[in-house]
Amino acid sequence: MTAVDHHRHPGINLGHTDPDTHEQAEETLFGFWIFLMSDLVLFALLFATYASMMGSTDGGPGPRDVLELSSSALETGVLLFSSLTMGMASLAMKYKEPPARLQMWLVATLILGLVFLWLGGSEFVKMASEGASAQRSGWTSALHALLGTHWLHVAAGCVWLILSILQVAIFGPQSPVKLRLMRLALFWHLLDIVWIFIFSVVYLGGLA
């Protein structure tokens, strides 16, 4: 086992293409994973709250009245495809492809993220128009809290993507930029995993 192989961490490893950045990533990504785990605790609490409020509709609309499988399936497809484009961006960074190609995959991820935000925002407007606003009942409050928190995370990820695209354009794929991109990729993939749980529990579970 080489010295590089001793420094392995969750996420993409740069050991054979950029050993210096790879070594720096060891501690940086470990710390970021701790942050992500704390974020998962937040979502776990929101899921628990949603589950406890499933029957608390107070005579108002329930899951079958406001949730649509077609729109949520489209959101799921968009977000999963964005995970693929983010993965391609990570590979472009790892194998030192031209910065323009790295930017292309980041822009593609950003566009898909914005599409997801638009779809999610439209769903919130539709629910409000159907009397399922956040204050209508315990269930709608829990639903809006869960979906809204994830939506805000994706929005934050899109802002991070914009800043990353600018950093690649201005500074090039230097070590600090690579380390930020590695953390962004972990953050983005985590949002995909959380959404899979939302799709399974909220939409498939609610419409079953």
Side-chain angles (χ1 to χ4, degrees):
M1 183 177 289
T2 65
V4 167
D5 293 329
H6 287 293
H7 298 287
R8 287 183 172 172
H9 47 73
I12 196 164
N13 284 265
L14 306 178
H16 297 290
T17 56
D18 190 348
D20 293 337
T21 303
H22 179 72
E23 188 168 352
Q24 295 176 48
E26 178 84 1
E27 187 174 338
T28 302
L29 291 193
F30 177 74
F32 193 68
W33 264 104
I34 294 176
F35 163 74
L36 292 180
M37 293 305 102
S38 68
D39 222 22
L40 275 182
V41 171
L42 169 63
F43 278 108
L45 291 173
L46 291 172
F47 272 111
T49 303
Y50 179 81
S52 67
M53 291 290 176
M54 275 296 291
S56 304
T57 57
D58 191 29
R64 292 179 179 275
D65 300 314
V66 297
L67 300 179
E68 289 185 0
L69 191 58
S70 56
S71 60
S72 61
L74 180 58
E75 291 175 81
T76 303
V78 168
L79 205 56
L80 288 180
F81 196 61
S82 75
S83 195
L84 172 65
T85 56
M86 178 60 81
M88 295 302 294
S90 297
L91 291 175
M93 176 187 68
K94 176 176 181 176
Y95 292 108
K96 298 182 178 179
E97 294 183 2
R101 183 166 299 180
L102 171 58
Q103 287 178 298
M104 178 190 74
W105 289 118
L106 292 175
V107 169
T109 306
L110 173 62
I111 291 173
L112 291 168
L114 293 175
V115 171
F116 178 85
L117 291 178
W118 179 75
L119 291 171
S122 300
E123 189 175 17
F124 285 127
V125 172
K126 177 177 175 294
M127 285 193 290
S129 68
E130 295 176 348
S133 57
Q135 65 270 26
R136 178 60 184 83
S137 66
W139 177 73
T140 57
S141 295
L143 176 67
H144 279 264
L146 179 57
L147 297 182
T149 301
H150 182 270
W151 191 92
L152 288 174
H153 275 68
V154 176
C158 286
V159 173
W160 195 347
L161 273 165
I162 293 171
L163 295 175
S164 297
I165 293 167
L166 292 175
Q167 287 183 345
V168 172
I170 296 172
F171 304 110
Q174 300 177 359
S175 286
V177 176
K178 286 183 177 180
L179 290 172
R180 295 185 190 109
L181 286 174
M182 293 168 77
R183 281 172 282 181
L184 171 59
L186 289 176
F187 180 74
W188 198 262
H189 293 314
L190 178 74
L191 296 183
D192 288 351
I193 293 171
V194 171
W195 179 257
I196 292 299
F197 278 98
I198 290 176
F199 180 69
S200 302
V201 174
V202 175
Y203 292 95
L204 295 182
L207 297 173

